[in-house]
Amino acid sequence: MAQCVQSVQELIPDSFVPCVAALCSDEAERLTRLNHLSFAELLKPFSRLTSEVHMRDPNNQLHVIKNLKIAVSNITTQPPQPGAIRKLLNDVVSGSQPAEGLVANVITAGDYDLNLSATTPWFESYRETFLQSMPASDHEFLNHYLACMLVASSGEAEPVEQFSKLSQEQHRIQHNNDYSYPKWFIPNTLKYYVLLHDVSAGDEQRAESIYEEMKQKYGTQGCYLLKINSRTSNRASDEQIPDPWSQYLQKNSIQNQESYEDGPCTITSNKNSDSNLLSLDGLDNEVKDGLPNNFRAHPLQLDPSSDSSNSIDGPDHVKSTSLHETKKANAGIIHGACLTLTDHDRIRQFIQEFTFRGLLPHIEKTIRQLNDQLISRKGLSRSLFSATKKWFSGSKVPEKSVNELKNTSGLLYPPEAPELQIRKMADLCFLVQHYDLAYSCYHTAKKDFLNDQAMLYAAGALEMAAVSAFLQPGAPRPYPAHYMDTAIQTYRDICKNMVLAERCVLLSAEILKSQGKYSEAAALLIRLTSEDSDLRSALLLEQAAHCFINMKSPMVRKYAFHMILAGHRFSKAGQKKHALRCYCQAMQVYKGKGWSLAEDHINFTIGRQSYTLRQLDNAVSAFRHILINESKQSAAQQGAFLREYLYVYKVNTYSGVDIKIIFF
C-alpha cells in the first residue's frame, strides 16, 4: 500500500472515538449560525485534547490516555441512507486528485525505473469518510452516544426552563420505542448543560447569574458557560482570523447542505425511504414519523425527489452535484466570522472541561458499574481484568469453523444480557485506549457469542479483539490475523454485510502493512473486490498494487496488472481521472517490452479516457502510438483504431492544433 499520512497507531484511535450528541434550542442554534456553523461544527476543530488525561481502571490502576478526540454531532432519528453514503464517498474520491507539480518517487526494480505516487490521498479520504459515516449498530457500541450536550442561549426568556424541555426531549428520543435511532450506550446517558452567551449582544451579568443558578441545580461538574461571538460583523476588513473549520466541512460536504440562515434549520425527511435505510446488522431499523423537531432526518438523508436505487458508483449513475461544485458554492462563506482568537481558546477550554469533568468520570464510573455487574452475575471473586487471566491459561475448547456454524446473524440479545454487558465494557475500554482490558473483554465475549452461534456478534468481537491485541502497549502478543480473517468471512458469507467486512479489511490491511507483510495485505485487499461496488474495488486493487511494489523484492508486473484492473474499475465507477492515472502508471511497465497487444490496449484506453476528459493532445498521442508500430492486431481491429484516431484528430484540428496524418 502507498504511504499514509497517519500511522496505523494513530489511524485506529482516531477512527473509534467517544460519541457525544448535541441538542440545541432554536436560539442557541441561531447564535452559532451567525458564524455559518452548527453547534456541532463549531466544536469540531477543537475536539482533540491537547494534553494527556488519566483515569482509573476497575483495579484502581492509573491509566493514561493520549491525544484523545471526541466526536460531537447533532441528534438525528434516521440512519444515513446507502445512496447518500455512496454519493459522499464518490465525491470525496473525485475531489481528491494528485497535486500538480508534485515530484513522484522513483523506484528502481530490475530493468524498471518507475515514477510512482508516494501517497494516495484519495484513498485516505475515502477510508476516513467511510469509517466516520458508518451508522450505529445493535451488535456493537463503539459509535453509540455516551453523553448529550443540552445547549440553550443566555438570551432566552427562561434558559433553565429551556434546559428542562431539552432534557425531556432527549429522554423521549432515547426511551420512546418509536425511535430506534440514534443508539445510546447506556440508559442513564450523561447530560451536560451548556449556556451559550453572545458576548457582543448579550447581557453578561444576566448570563453569569443564570450560570450560578445552573451550578446550583446541575452541579459544577455538569454545566458550563460558553462565551462566543466577541467580534461584531462590521470588523476591520484587514483583520485576518484563521478558519480551522473549512478542512472539516469540505470532507463532509453532503452533511452540510443545510441552510445557514439565522433561524433554525429545517430538514425534510423522506417518508418512503424506510426500505432504503442502511442496516448494519439485519435488525429492524424502522423509523416512525411524528417527531415535531428539526432533527428527524440524518444529514446523509437523500432528497425525497432523488432515486436512491441508482448506484452512485456504477457506470450508469445519475450525475449529481460534485464536491468541486460544493466547494465553489461555499468559497465565499467565511466560517467563524463573529469569533476572535479568544473565542477559539474558550471553545477549546470548553472541550477540555467537558471531557475532564464530565465525560471521563462518567466513562470511568460506567466501566466500574459494568465490571461489578459482571462479577455478581458470573460469581467472580475478583475483577474481570484479573479473572480472565485464569480463564486463558486453562485448557482450550476447540472452536467450530465458520462453515460449521449456523446462520444466526439475526439473533438478538436483550439489552441486559451479560454477553452485551461484556461487549459494552470492551468497547468503553477501547474508546479510552485501555487495550489490555478491552482485549480480555472481547476475548471473553467472543467465546460466549460463538457458543450461542450469534455470528454477527462473534464477528464483531473477533474484529475488535484483533485490533486491541495489536494496539496493546509493548506488544505482549502477536497480531491475531486469523481473528480478522474469520470476522471478514463471517461478515461477508454468513451475515451478508459487505460494509462491516470492508471495515475489517481496511483496518487489517493497515496493520499488516505496518508489519511489512505486504503480500498478506495485498491478498486481503484483493479478496474483497466484488461486483457490488466498482469504487471500493478500484481503491482496494490500487492499494494491492502498491503492496506488490513495496515488497522487499518488488513484483513489478503484478503491480502493473493490478493498476490496470484498478483503472478499469475506476472507469466503471465514473472516476475518469483516476482511471487515466492508473493506466498511465501501468504503461511504464509495459512500454517497450514487446508486449504489443497489452500496450495497444493500454494506449487505446488512455486515448479514450483522455478524450473524455478533453485532454485532446494526450488522446491523439496515445492513439498515434498504436498506429506507428508494427501491429499484431487483426485488420478489423486496426481499422477500428484508425477510425478512433481520425475522429480525435478531427476534433483536435478544430481546436487549432496541427497534427500529422499517419499513412500505411
Side-chain angles (χ1 to χ4, degrees), residues 71-184:
V72 182
S73 58
N74 295 324
I75 291 181
T76 57
T77 57
Q78 289 189 13
Q81 288 187 346
I85 293 178
R86 287 196 298 267
K87 180 185 184 302
L88 175 60
L89 294 173
N90 190 76
D91 286 351
V92 162
V93 173
S94 64
S96 180
Q97 300 290 338
E100 294 185 7
L102 185 66
V103 178
N105 280 3
V106 178
I107 295 180
T108 301
D111 298 334
Y112 300 95
D113 291 320
L114 307 177
N115 292 316
L116 306 178
S117 300
T119 60
T120 51
W122 46 91
F123 171 73
E124 294 180 51
S125 297
Y126 171 91
R127 182 183 59 199
E128 178 185 356
T129 305
F130 172 83
L131 292 172
Q132 290 181 354
S133 63
M134 293 190 71
S137 170
D138 284 328
H139 81 286
E140 63 183 17
F141 304 91
L142 290 162
N143 52 359
H144 289 205
Y145 284 135
L146 279 162
C148 182
M149 293 180 180
L150 304 175
V151 189
S153 167
S154 62
E156 302 190 49
E158 296 291 339
V160 176
E161 182 180 336
Q162 185 65 49
F163 280 126
S164 298
K165 292 179 180 178
L166 292 172
S167 179
Q168 292 169 10
E169 187 68 24
Q170 186 279 330
H171 186 275
R172 186 174 69 87
I173 294 171
Q174 179 174 356
H175 298 286
N176 192 322
N177 292 330
D178 287 345
Y179 308 115
S180 62
Y181 202 88
K183 308 289 184 181
W184 304 87

Side-chain angles (χ1 to χ4, degrees), residues 126 311 313-315 488 491-493 496-499 501-502 505 523-542 565-566 568-570 572-573:
Y126 171 91
S311 173
D313 61 6
I488 294 168
Y491 282 142
R492 185 187 60 188
D493 299 335
K496 308 298 182 185
N497 195 313
M498 292 297 290
V499 174
E502 182 177 356
V505 168
L524 190 64
L525 292 161
I526 294 169
R527 198 198 321 174
L528 205 69
T529 58
S530 61
E531 293 302 318
D532 67 309
S533 173
D534 289 312
L535 182 61
R536 181 187 70 233
S537 298
L539 290 163
L540 297 186
L541 285 167
E542 182 182 13
L565 296 178
H568 175 65
R569 299 305 290 270
F570 271 128
K572 289 181 67 179

Side-chain angles (χ1 to χ4, degrees), residues 205-429:
Q205 186 174 355
R206 180 174 185 267
E208 293 288 352
S209 175
I210 296 169
Y211 182 48
E212 289 299 321
E213 184 181 351
M214 291 170 60
K215 287 193 286 187
Q216 292 295 323
K217 184 172 183 178
Y218 306 120
T220 56
Q221 311 290 323
C223 58
Y224 195 86
L225 172 60
L226 177 59
K227 300 178 181 180
I228 62 170
N229 296 351
S230 297
R231 185 168 55 159
T232 57
S233 58
N234 58 353
R235 66 194 184 281
S237 59
D238 58 346
E239 186 178 0
Q240 295 295 325
I241 297 292
D243 177 6
W245 293 276
S246 295
Q247 57 178 319
Y248 296 96
L249 301 182
Q250 288 175 0
K251 289 179 181 178
N252 302 286
S253 61
I254 292 183
Q255 300 183 35
N256 305 306
Q257 289 180 355
E258 306 169 8
S259 172
Y260 290 114
E261 297 178 357
D262 290 348
C265 176
T266 302
I267 307 174
T268 58
S269 65
N270 185 355
K271 296 181 180 179
N272 300 321
S273 64
D274 288 353
S275 62
N276 296 323
L277 298 179
L278 180 61
S279 174
L280 282 183
D281 46 20
L283 307 176
D284 183 17
N285 274 334
E286 184 181 1
V287 179
K288 306 288 192 299
D289 293 328
L291 185 62
N293 213 317
N294 59 357
F295 38 76
R296 285 181 56 185
H298 192 277
L300 288 180
Q301 190 81 8
L302 286 175
D303 185 88
S305 62
S306 67
D307 181 6
S308 62
S309 63
N310 290 321
S311 173
I312 198 67
D313 61 6
D316 301 318
H317 68 82
V318 178
K319 292 190 176 180
S320 56
T321 303
S322 69
L323 192 62
H324 302 290
E325 293 169 338
T326 305
K327 287 181 181 179
K328 289 179 181 178
N330 293 333
I333 294 177
I334 301 175
H335 301 106
C338 300
L339 302 175
T340 63
L341 292 178
T342 301
D343 290 329
H344 291 196
D345 292 336
R346 287 169 176 159
I347 298 170
R348 189 177 292 108
Q349 182 64 28
F350 161 64
I351 293 294
Q352 300 261 6
E353 287 292 312
F354 164 73
T355 307
F356 288 168
R357 309 177 77 176
L359 183 61
L360 285 180
H362 174 70
I363 292 176
E364 182 177 326
K365 177 183 175 183
T366 304
I367 290 176
R368 288 181 180 275
Q369 289 176 343
L370 289 170
N371 186 66
D372 292 342
Q373 290 175 21
L374 294 171
I375 290 173
S376 61
R377 288 179 181 179
K378 290 185 174 290
L380 302 179
S381 59
R382 299 179 64 194
S383 73
L384 183 66
F385 183 44
S386 302
T388 47
K389 294 181 179 178
K390 298 179 183 178
W391 303 345
F392 297 153
S393 61
S395 59
K396 295 183 178 180
V397 179
E399 297 176 356
K400 297 180 181 180
S401 69
V402 173
N403 295 328
E404 294 179 89
L405 294 167
K406 294 185 295 185
N407 182 1
T408 54
S409 59
L411 175 66
L412 262 177
Y413 287 98
E416 67 279 0
E419 295 85 356
L420 287 191
Q421 304 311 308
I422 296 176
R423 174 67 203 237
K424 279 186 179 180
M425 184 171 169
D427 286 346
L428 262 186
C429 293

Side-chain angles (χ1 to χ4, degrees), residues 590-611:
Y590 288 101
K591 188 174 182 179
K593 300 298 180 182
W595 299 329
S596 61
L597 295 179
E599 207 172 332
D600 286 351
H601 167 73
I602 297 172
N603 272 317
F604 180 78
T605 307
I606 289 175
R608 277 278 182 91
Q609 298 288 0
S610 297
Y611 176 78

